[in-house]
Amino acid sequence: MAAAIARFQVLHHHPSSSTTPFLKASSTLLSKLPQSSISSQISSENVSTTRFRRRLSSFSRPPLCSGSEIHSNCESSGSIVGDLLDYLNESWTQFHATAEAKKQLLAAGFHLLNENDEWDLKPGGRYFFTRNMSSLVAFAIGEKYSIGNGFHIIAAHTDSPCLKLKPKSASCKSGYLMVNVQTYGGGLWHTWFDRDLSVAGRVIIRDNNGCFLHKLVKIKRPILRVPTLAIHLDRTVNQDGFKPNLETHLIPLLAKKVDNASAETKDKNNISTAKDAQHQLLMQILSDELACKIDDIMTIELNVCDTQPSCLGGANNEFIFSGRLDNLASSFCALRALIDSCASPEDLSNEHAIRMVALFDNEEVGSDSYQGAGAPTMFEAMRRITDCLDFHSVRESSFARAIRHSFLVSADMAHGVHPNFTDKYEEHHRPELQKGLVIKHNANQRYATSGVTAFLFKEIAKMNNLPTQEFVVRNDMGCGSTIGPILASGVGIRTVDCGIAQLSMHSVREICGKEDVDFAYKHFKAFYQTFSSVDKKLNVDK
């Protein structure tokens, strides 16, 4: 019952249309619980049943927009925070994030394309395709589009630093079944210790007719854990720092090994020895979840995931506590902005450009992959769209002219100033949470922002009364990068790098401001709706 009450609490803070029936059912269930059941549940806290019921009845959804001066005109009814939390909780892996985006696009009336097929596109149409089920490109064509007009694009990425199972992950140590993993990206790996972990990803299954099916899987209950060493056996850890060996110490524990002498128990629990590629116990859990035989699972590609749900946090519920904010928060805001900017036919009736979202995999490891931003996926799609709409007429360099008219927003999370480490930030460029999108600058082109692209993007914010901030890394520190420079240099497209300010970047559990999510969504939506008019007012190369 404690778990149900906790879930009831969380849903009241960020309900969505999909959770409303649950809230009603939960309220009814709690009202019908015997008084003795409630009393026994809370007796350990010495709280009376009456007080407990009063606390339950007092749960209400806090306003999603605070009363701050910067955001005084925000209306909670227009917030997407609750939907973002739902998206984060569904999207444990890059595969699930892409599948959830696909689901939302189909529900919004976008048509699914296949890269292997010939495309038939029309002005006013809305389309998308996926690649590897970990990257996605969606676009809406303005009804007044003409050949050579530009693409207005927001690009983000679906992957996050995590642990991934090795091809042969099964091992045994000191009587425990262990799961060998690889580190993916630049994670803060010490944060993965002592967390309730599980696995999610995709599998290839053999069907009854001999074909092979692509399936996503998510084991929601915690089945893994990486325990830390007791301080009694590591007395200097607080003085010298926690410095685990990532090959030998960062190995999740799956189960206690069954005694080999008990063959009957071993067969009953379906546990294998370390010589097998994967523990049979893990394979059994997967097969139960997928309702298939173990022998029908041909291959697996699994991430280790934290099972703690994404939620609101802080004394005023002003923060979002979640894994994978970098960069699913940007991905969702971009996706939702595209969907909402062309929700009705009228939204595209006066549009001369093509609105696009591109979500890539493998940004955290350099983007050099079939499904990463280093592949020509987006630009090939742009060329195909231009060719489809050309109606076989003879035009001079249609695609090249379209690129010159195009603009790309590279959306990745940004570094919010950490109150305990302010000396790590450049004195005059310390972005704060709840203060709007951060525009990122780097003279050495680790970010693709230029003076012109920053001006255009800030002008959109100014027109819509949206705040912006700016970030520059200290000269004595290294600077991270994004997909922005990769895409900007790919075919020479104007690009601005921006992101939502956050703390704990690359931790298993990250933090961002709730209001900043709505600021990003509104800024991205305004970009789609107004960039054409802003861009007409500035011509640099006359």
PDB file of all heavy atoms in Angstrom, residues 311-345:
ATOM      1  N   CYS A 311      10.527  12.775 -11.560  1.00  0.00           N
ATOM      2  CA  CYS A 311       9.516  13.413 -10.725  1.00  0.00           C
ATOM      3  C   CYS A 311       9.845  14.885 -10.519  1.00  0.00           C
ATOM      4  O   CYS A 311      10.934  15.347 -10.856  1.00  0.00           O
ATOM      5  CB  CYS A 311       9.412  12.710  -9.374  1.00  0.00           C
ATOM      6  SG  CYS A 311      10.927  12.828  -8.376  1.00  0.00           S
ATOM      7  N   LEU A 312       8.883  15.600  -9.960  1.00  0.00           N
ATOM      8  CA  LEU A 312       9.129  16.968  -9.516  1.00  0.00           C
ATOM      9  C   LEU A 312       9.836  16.927  -8.173  1.00  0.00           C
ATOM     10  O   LEU A 312       9.645  16.008  -7.372  1.00  0.00           O
ATOM     11  CB  LEU A 312       7.812  17.730  -9.382  1.00  0.00           C
ATOM     12  CG  LEU A 312       6.991  17.941 -10.657  1.00  0.00           C
ATOM     13  CD1 LEU A 312       5.746  18.767 -10.350  1.00  0.00           C
ATOM     14  CD2 LEU A 312       7.822  18.622 -11.734  1.00  0.00           C
ATOM     15  N   GLY A 313      10.663  17.947  -7.906  1.00  0.00           N
ATOM     16  CA  GLY A 313      11.379  18.001  -6.640  1.00  0.00           C
ATOM     17  C   GLY A 313      11.615  19.427  -6.206  1.00  0.00           C
ATOM     18  O   GLY A 313      11.251  20.378  -6.903  1.00  0.00           O
ATOM     19  N   GLY A 314      12.225  19.577  -5.045  1.00  0.00           N
ATOM     20  CA  GLY A 314      12.415  20.889  -4.454  1.00  0.00           C
ATOM     21  C   GLY A 314      11.254  21.246  -3.558  1.00  0.00           C
ATOM     22  O   GLY A 314      10.146  20.709  -3.694  1.00  0.00           O
ATOM     23  N   ALA A 315      11.489  22.171  -2.637  1.00  0.00           N
ATOM     24  CA  ALA A 315      10.457  22.539  -1.668  1.00  0.00           C
ATOM     25  C   ALA A 315       9.199  23.071  -2.330  1.00  0.00           C
ATOM     26  O   ALA A 315       8.090  22.894  -1.817  1.00  0.00           O
ATOM     27  CB  ALA A 315      11.016  23.587  -0.697  1.00  0.00           C
ATOM     28  N   ASN A 316       9.350  23.720  -3.480  1.00  0.00           N
ATOM     29  CA  ASN A 316       8.210  24.270  -4.212  1.00  0.00           C
ATOM     30  C   ASN A 316       7.915  23.491  -5.482  1.00  0.00           C
ATOM     31  O   ASN A 316       7.227  23.995  -6.370  1.00  0.00           O
ATOM     32  CB  ASN A 316       8.477  25.735  -4.570  1.00  0.00           C
ATOM     33  CG  ASN A 316       8.650  26.606  -3.353  1.00  0.00           C
ATOM     34  OD1 ASN A 316       7.833  26.567  -2.425  1.00  0.00           O
ATOM     35  ND2 ASN A 316       9.715  27.397  -3.324  1.00  0.00           N
ATOM     36  N   ASN A 317       8.433  22.264  -5.579  1.00  0.00           N
ATOM     37  CA  ASN A 317       8.270  21.456  -6.792  1.00  0.00           C
ATOM     38  C   ASN A 317       8.734  22.214  -8.033  1.00  0.00           C
ATOM     39  O   ASN A 317       8.136  22.105  -9.100  1.00  0.00           O
ATOM     40  CB  ASN A 317       6.812  21.013  -6.961  1.00  0.00           C
ATOM     41  CG  ASN A 317       6.428  19.942  -5.960  1.00  0.00           C
ATOM     42  OD1 ASN A 317       7.103  18.926  -5.839  1.00  0.00           O
ATOM     43  ND2 ASN A 317       5.356  20.188  -5.227  1.00  0.00           N
ATOM     44  N   GLU A 318       9.830  22.976  -7.885  1.00  0.00           N
ATOM     45  CA  GLU A 318      10.291  23.795  -8.999  1.00  0.00           C
ATOM     46  C   GLU A 318      11.317  23.088  -9.872  1.00  0.00           C
ATOM     47  O   GLU A 318      11.693  23.596 -10.934  1.00  0.00           O
ATOM     48  CB  GLU A 318      10.898  25.102  -8.480  1.00  0.00           C
ATOM     49  CG  GLU A 318      12.172  24.951  -7.680  1.00  0.00           C
ATOM     50  CD  GLU A 318      11.964  24.894  -6.181  1.00  0.00           C
ATOM     51  OE1 GLU A 318      11.100  24.108  -5.727  1.00  0.00           O
ATOM     52  OE2 GLU A 318      12.673  25.618  -5.459  1.00  0.00           O
ATOM     53  N   PHE A 319      11.787  21.896  -9.447  1.00  0.00           N
ATOM     54  CA  PHE A 319      12.814  21.178 -10.194  1.00  0.00           C
ATOM     55  C   PHE A 319      12.249  19.893 -10.793  1.00  0.00           C
ATOM     56  O   PHE A 319      11.214  19.384 -10.365  1.00  0.00           O
ATOM     57  CB  PHE A 319      13.994  20.821  -9.292  1.00  0.00           C
ATOM     58  CG  PHE A 319      14.623  21.993  -8.599  1.00  0.00           C
ATOM     59  CD1 PHE A 319      14.755  22.011  -7.220  1.00  0.00           C
ATOM     60  CD2 PHE A 319      15.085  23.087  -9.324  1.00  0.00           C
ATOM     61  CE1 PHE A 319      15.336  23.088  -6.565  1.00  0.00           C
ATOM     62  CE2 PHE A 319      15.667  24.173  -8.685  1.00  0.00           C
ATOM     63  CZ  PHE A 319      15.790  24.173  -7.309  1.00  0.00           C
ATOM     64  N   ILE A 320      12.975  19.378 -11.766  1.00  0.00           N
ATOM     65  CA  ILE A 320      12.720  18.045 -12.285  1.00  0.00           C
ATOM     66  C   ILE A 320      13.927  17.189 -11.922  1.00  0.00           C
ATOM     67  O   ILE A 320      15.064  17.530 -12.252  1.00  0.00           O
ATOM     68  CB  ILE A 320      12.506  18.055 -13.808  1.00  0.00           C
ATOM     69  CG1 ILE A 320      11.230  18.831 -14.159  1.00  0.00           C
ATOM     70  CG2 ILE A 320      12.418  16.633 -14.352  1.00  0.00           C
ATOM     71  CD1 ILE A 320      11.007  19.006 -15.648  1.00  0.00           C
ATOM     72  N   PHE A 321      13.682  16.099 -11.216  1.00  0.00           N
ATOM     73  CA  PHE A 321      14.717  15.137 -10.860  1.00  0.00           C
ATOM     74  C   PHE A 321      14.546  13.925 -11.769  1.00  0.00           C
ATOM     75  O   PHE A 321      13.474  13.291 -11.764  1.00  0.00           O
ATOM     76  CB  PHE A 321      14.596  14.689  -9.403  1.00  0.00           C
ATOM     77  CG  PHE A 321      14.792  15.797  -8.389  1.00  0.00           C
ATOM     78  CD1 PHE A 321      14.322  15.642  -7.087  1.00  0.00           C
ATOM     79  CD2 PHE A 321      15.441  16.976  -8.719  1.00  0.00           C
ATOM     80  CE1 PHE A 321      14.507  16.643  -6.136  1.00  0.00           C
ATOM     81  CE2 PHE A 321      15.626  17.987  -7.778  1.00  0.00           C
ATOM     82  CZ  PHE A 321      15.155  17.820  -6.488  1.00  0.00           C
ATOM     83  N   SER A 322      15.575  13.599 -12.524  1.00  0.00           N
ATOM     84  CA  SER A 322      15.408  12.508 -13.490  1.00  0.00           C
ATOM     85  C   SER A 322      16.757  12.076 -14.036  1.00  0.00           C
ATOM     86  O   SER A 322      17.720  12.839 -14.045  1.00  0.00           O
ATOM     87  CB  SER A 322      14.515  12.964 -14.646  1.00  0.00           C
ATOM     88  OG  SER A 322      14.435  11.983 -15.669  1.00  0.00           O
ATOM     89  N   GLY A 323      16.800  10.860 -14.524  1.00  0.00           N
ATOM     90  CA  GLY A 323      17.896  10.448 -15.371  1.00  0.00           C
ATOM     91  C   GLY A 323      17.608  10.874 -16.801  1.00  0.00           C
ATOM     92  O   GLY A 323      16.474  11.195 -17.163  1.00  0.00           O
ATOM     93  N   ARG A 324      18.663  10.959 -17.609  1.00  0.00           N
ATOM     94  CA  ARG A 324      18.559  11.147 -19.058  1.00  0.00           C
ATOM     95  C   ARG A 324      17.980  12.492 -19.483  1.00  0.00           C
ATOM     96  O   ARG A 324      17.528  12.650 -20.606  1.00  0.00           O
ATOM     97  CB  ARG A 324      17.727  10.017 -19.702  1.00  0.00           C
ATOM     98  CG  ARG A 324      18.216   8.623 -19.349  1.00  0.00           C
ATOM     99  CD  ARG A 324      17.286   7.542 -19.840  1.00  0.00           C
ATOM    100  NE  ARG A 324      15.926   7.682 -19.363  1.00  0.00           N
ATOM    101  CZ  ARG A 324      15.509   7.350 -18.150  1.00  0.00           C
ATOM    102  NH1 ARG A 324      16.346   6.847 -17.261  1.00  0.00           N
ATOM    103  NH2 ARG A 324      14.247   7.518 -17.801  1.00  0.00           N
ATOM    104  N   LEU A 325      17.987  13.481 -18.582  1.00  0.00           N
ATOM    105  CA  LEU A 325      17.565  14.823 -19.001  1.00  0.00           C
ATOM    106  C   LEU A 325      18.438  15.291 -20.168  1.00  0.00           C
ATOM    107  O   LEU A 325      17.955  15.950 -21.091  1.00  0.00           O
ATOM    108  CB  LEU A 325      17.663  15.802 -17.827  1.00  0.00           C
ATOM    109  CG  LEU A 325      16.609  15.654 -16.738  1.00  0.00           C
ATOM    110  CD1 LEU A 325      16.913  16.598 -15.572  1.00  0.00           C
ATOM    111  CD2 LEU A 325      15.211  15.945 -17.280  1.00  0.00           C
ATOM    112  N   ASP A 326      19.721  14.960 -20.082  1.00  0.00           N
ATOM    113  CA  ASP A 326      20.646  15.167 -21.195  1.00  0.00           C
ATOM    114  C   ASP A 326      20.615  13.905 -22.048  1.00  0.00           C
ATOM    115  O   ASP A 326      21.228  12.904 -21.704  1.00  0.00           O
ATOM    116  CB  ASP A 326      22.054  15.427 -20.641  1.00  0.00           C
ATOM    117  CG  ASP A 326      23.099  15.616 -21.725  1.00  0.00           C
ATOM    118  OD1 ASP A 326      22.724  15.849 -22.881  1.00  0.00           O
ATOM    119  OD2 ASP A 326      24.291  15.516 -21.401  1.00  0.00           O
ATOM    120  N   ASN A 327      19.821  13.847 -23.157  1.00  0.00           N
ATOM    121  CA  ASN A 327      19.270  15.040 -23.754  1.00  0.00           C
ATOM    122  C   ASN A 327      17.803  14.833 -24.126  1.00  0.00           C
ATOM    123  O   ASN A 327      17.288  15.423 -25.077  1.00  0.00           O
ATOM    124  CB  ASN A 327      20.092  15.401 -24.993  1.00  0.00           C
ATOM    125  CG  ASN A 327      19.788  16.745 -25.571  1.00  0.00           C
ATOM    126  OD1 ASN A 327      19.443  17.675 -24.868  1.00  0.00           O
ATOM    127  ND2 ASN A 327      19.869  16.845 -26.878  1.00  0.00           N
ATOM    128  N   LEU A 328      17.093  13.998 -23.354  1.00  0.00           N
ATOM    129  CA  LEU A 328      15.695  13.735 -23.688  1.00  0.00           C
ATOM    130  C   LEU A 328      14.805  14.936 -23.409  1.00  0.00           C
ATOM    131  O   LEU A 328      13.745  15.079 -24.036  1.00  0.00           O
ATOM    132  CB  LEU A 328      15.191  12.515 -22.920  1.00  0.00           C
ATOM    133  CG  LEU A 328      15.811  11.182 -23.334  1.00  0.00           C
ATOM    134  CD1 LEU A 328      15.130  10.035 -22.599  1.00  0.00           C
ATOM    135  CD2 LEU A 328      15.739  10.970 -24.834  1.00  0.00           C
ATOM    136  N   ALA A 329      15.221  15.823 -22.496  1.00  0.00           N
ATOM    137  CA  ALA A 329      14.423  17.032 -22.267  1.00  0.00           C
ATOM    138  C   ALA A 329      14.398  17.890 -23.525  1.00  0.00           C
ATOM    139  O   ALA A 329      13.341  18.391 -23.933  1.00  0.00           O
ATOM    140  CB  ALA A 329      14.997  17.820 -21.088  1.00  0.00           C
ATOM    141  N   SER A 330      15.556  18.049 -24.180  1.00  0.00           N
ATOM    142  CA  SER A 330      15.611  18.806 -25.426  1.00  0.00           C
ATOM    143  C   SER A 330      14.844  18.092 -26.533  1.00  0.00           C
ATOM    144  O   SER A 330      14.116  18.726 -27.315  1.00  0.00           O
ATOM    145  CB  SER A 330      17.062  19.004 -25.862  1.00  0.00           C
ATOM    146  OG  SER A 330      17.813  19.652 -24.875  1.00  0.00           O
ATOM    147  N   SER A 331      14.998  16.781 -26.613  1.00  0.00           N
ATOM    148  CA  SER A 331      14.322  16.004 -27.648  1.00  0.00           C
ATOM    149  C   SER A 331      12.812  16.164 -27.545  1.00  0.00           C
ATOM    150  O   SER A 331      12.118  16.377 -28.549  1.00  0.00           O
ATOM    151  CB  SER A 331      14.696  14.526 -27.534  1.00  0.00           C
ATOM    152  OG  SER A 331      16.067  14.325 -27.767  1.00  0.00           O
ATOM    153  N   PHE A 332      12.293  16.065 -26.320  1.00  0.00           N
ATOM    154  CA  PHE A 332      10.847  16.159 -26.153  1.00  0.00           C
ATOM    155  C   PHE A 332      10.337  17.563 -26.462  1.00  0.00           C
ATOM    156  O   PHE A 332       9.299  17.723 -27.120  1.00  0.00           O
ATOM    157  CB  PHE A 332      10.442  15.767 -24.732  1.00  0.00           C
ATOM    158  CG  PHE A 332       8.953  15.828 -24.506  1.00  0.00           C
ATOM    159  CD1 PHE A 332       8.132  14.835 -24.980  1.00  0.00           C
ATOM    160  CD2 PHE A 332       8.380  16.906 -23.840  1.00  0.00           C
ATOM    161  CE1 PHE A 332       6.750  14.896 -24.796  1.00  0.00           C
ATOM    162  CE2 PHE A 332       7.014  16.985 -23.655  1.00  0.00           C
ATOM    163  CZ  PHE A 332       6.192  15.972 -24.136  1.00  0.00           C
ATOM    164  N   CYS A 333      11.031  18.585 -25.980  1.00  0.00           N
ATOM    165  CA  CYS A 333      10.591  19.962 -26.244  1.00  0.00           C
ATOM    166  C   CYS A 333      10.573  20.249 -27.745  1.00  0.00           C
ATOM    167  O   CYS A 333       9.649  20.899 -28.252  1.00  0.00           O
ATOM    168  CB  CYS A 333      11.503  20.957 -25.533  1.00  0.00           C
ATOM    169  SG  CYS A 333      11.323  20.957 -23.733  1.00  0.00           S
ATOM    170  N   ALA A 334      11.588  19.765 -28.463  1.00  0.00           N
ATOM    171  CA  ALA A 334      11.635  19.962 -29.910  1.00  0.00           C
ATOM    172  C   ALA A 334      10.510  19.215 -30.607  1.00  0.00           C
ATOM    173  O   ALA A 334       9.826  19.763 -31.491  1.00  0.00           O
ATOM    174  CB  ALA A 334      12.987  19.505 -30.442  1.00  0.00           C
ATOM    175  N   LEU A 335      10.303  17.965 -30.215  1.00  0.00           N
ATOM    176  CA  LEU A 335       9.252  17.152 -30.820  1.00  0.00           C
ATOM    177  C   LEU A 335       7.875  17.756 -30.579  1.00  0.00           C
ATOM    178  O   LEU A 335       7.059  17.891 -31.509  1.00  0.00           O
ATOM    179  CB  LEU A 335       9.308  15.742 -30.243  1.00  0.00           C
ATOM    180  CG  LEU A 335       8.277  14.746 -30.759  1.00  0.00           C
ATOM    181  CD1 LEU A 335       8.632  14.321 -32.178  1.00  0.00           C
ATOM    182  CD2 LEU A 335       8.208  13.523 -29.841  1.00  0.00           C
ATOM    183  N   ARG A 336       7.635  18.147 -29.339  1.00  0.00           N
ATOM    184  CA  ARG A 336       6.324  18.713 -28.999  1.00  0.00           C
ATOM    185  C   ARG A 336       6.099  20.045 -29.712  1.00  0.00           C
ATOM    186  O   ARG A 336       4.984  20.352 -30.148  1.00  0.00           O
ATOM    187  CB  ARG A 336       6.237  18.882 -27.490  1.00  0.00           C
ATOM    188  CG  ARG A 336       4.907  19.386 -26.979  1.00  0.00           C
ATOM    189  CD  ARG A 336       3.762  18.410 -27.271  1.00  0.00           C
ATOM    190  NE  ARG A 336       2.560  18.896 -26.627  1.00  0.00           N
ATOM    191  CZ  ARG A 336       2.185  18.537 -25.396  1.00  0.00           C
ATOM    192  NH1 ARG A 336       2.930  17.704 -24.693  1.00  0.00           N
ATOM    193  NH2 ARG A 336       1.092  19.019 -24.865  1.00  0.00           N
ATOM    194  N   ALA A 337       7.156  20.847 -29.849  1.00  0.00           N
ATOM    195  CA  ALA A 337       7.026  22.129 -30.544  1.00  0.00           C
ATOM    196  C   ALA A 337       6.659  21.918 -32.002  1.00  0.00           C
ATOM    197  O   ALA A 337       5.811  22.642 -32.552  1.00  0.00           O
ATOM    198  CB  ALA A 337       8.332  22.918 -30.427  1.00  0.00           C
ATOM    199  N   LEU A 338       7.268  20.929 -32.643  1.00  0.00           N
ATOM    200  CA  LEU A 338       6.918  20.647 -34.038  1.00  0.00           C
ATOM    201  C   LEU A 338       5.475  20.185 -34.160  1.00  0.00           C
ATOM    202  O   LEU A 338       4.718  20.679 -35.011  1.00  0.00           O
ATOM    203  CB  LEU A 338       7.858  19.578 -34.609  1.00  0.00           C
ATOM    204  CG  LEU A 338       7.520  19.123 -36.036  1.00  0.00           C
ATOM    205  CD1 LEU A 338       7.721  20.253 -37.026  1.00  0.00           C
ATOM    206  CD2 LEU A 338       8.338  17.894 -36.428  1.00  0.00           C
ATOM    207  N   ILE A 339       5.084  19.253 -33.317  1.00  0.00           N
ATOM    208  CA  ILE A 339       3.717  18.723 -33.379  1.00  0.00           C
ATOM    209  C   ILE A 339       2.696  19.835 -33.158  1.00  0.00           C
ATOM    210  O   ILE A 339       1.722  19.972 -33.912  1.00  0.00           O
ATOM    211  CB  ILE A 339       3.535  17.604 -32.331  1.00  0.00           C
ATOM    212  CG1 ILE A 339       4.332  16.367 -32.747  1.00  0.00           C
ATOM    213  CG2 ILE A 339       2.063  17.249 -32.163  1.00  0.00           C
ATOM    214  CD1 ILE A 339       4.347  15.261 -31.708  1.00  0.00           C
ATOM    215  N   ASP A 340       2.919  20.663 -32.149  1.00  0.00           N
ATOM    216  CA  ASP A 340       1.944  21.699 -31.813  1.00  0.00           C
ATOM    217  C   ASP A 340       1.965  22.870 -32.791  1.00  0.00           C
ATOM    218  O   ASP A 340       0.975  23.595 -32.906  1.00  0.00           O
ATOM    219  CB  ASP A 340       2.187  22.203 -30.387  1.00  0.00           C
ATOM    220  CG  ASP A 340       1.831  21.167 -29.331  1.00  0.00           C
ATOM    221  OD1 ASP A 340       1.292  20.109 -29.690  1.00  0.00           O
ATOM    222  OD2 ASP A 340       2.116  21.410 -28.141  1.00  0.00           O
ATOM    223  N   SER A 341       3.085  23.067 -33.479  1.00  0.00           N
ATOM    224  CA  SER A 341       3.164  24.181 -34.432  1.00  0.00           C
ATOM    225  C   SER A 341       2.436  23.877 -35.737  1.00  0.00           C
ATOM    226  O   SER A 341       2.230  24.782 -36.552  1.00  0.00           O
ATOM    227  CB  SER A 341       4.623  24.524 -34.740  1.00  0.00           C
ATOM    228  OG  SER A 341       5.219  23.544 -35.560  1.00  0.00           O
ATOM    229  N   CYS A 342       2.063  22.628 -35.934  1.00  0.00           N
ATOM    230  CA  CYS A 342       1.308  22.279 -37.145  1.00  0.00           C
ATOM    231  C   CYS A 342       0.181  21.310 -36.797  1.00  0.00           C
ATOM    232  O   CYS A 342      -0.078  20.348 -37.516  1.00  0.00           O
ATOM    233  CB  CYS A 342       2.232  21.692 -38.205  1.00  0.00           C
ATOM    234  SG  CYS A 342       3.241  20.300 -37.674  1.00  0.00           S
ATOM    235  N   ALA A 343      -0.474  21.589 -35.672  1.00  0.00           N
ATOM    236  CA  ALA A 343      -1.535  20.700 -35.193  1.00  0.00           C
ATOM    237  C   ALA A 343      -2.773  20.741 -36.082  1.00  0.00           C
ATOM    238  O   ALA A 343      -3.523  19.773 -36.158  1.00  0.00           O
ATOM    239  CB  ALA A 343      -1.914  21.068 -33.762  1.00  0.00           C
ATOM    240  N   SER A 344      -2.992  21.848 -36.758  1.00  0.00           N
ATOM    241  CA  SER A 344      -4.157  21.968 -37.644  1.00  0.00           C
ATOM    242  C   SER A 344      -3.691  22.379 -39.032  1.00  0.00           C
ATOM    243  O   SER A 344      -2.604  22.946 -39.190  1.00  0.00           O
ATOM    244  CB  SER A 344      -5.137  23.002 -37.087  1.00  0.00           C
ATOM    245  OG  SER A 344      -4.558  24.297 -37.100  1.00  0.00           O
ATOM    246  N   PRO A 345      -4.495  22.130 -40.061  1.00  0.00           N
ATOM    247  CA  PRO A 345      -4.110  22.512 -41.424  1.00  0.00           C
ATOM    248  C   PRO A 345      -3.802  23.999 -41.559  1.00  0.00           C
ATOM    249  O   PRO A 345      -2.947  24.392 -42.356  1.00  0.00           O
ATOM    250  CB  PRO A 345      -5.328  22.107 -42.255  1.00  0.00           C
ATOM    251  CG  PRO A 345      -5.986  21.022 -41.465  1.00  0.00           C
ATOM    252  CD  PRO A 345      -5.767  21.383 -40.036  1.00  0.00           C
TER     253      PRO A 345
END
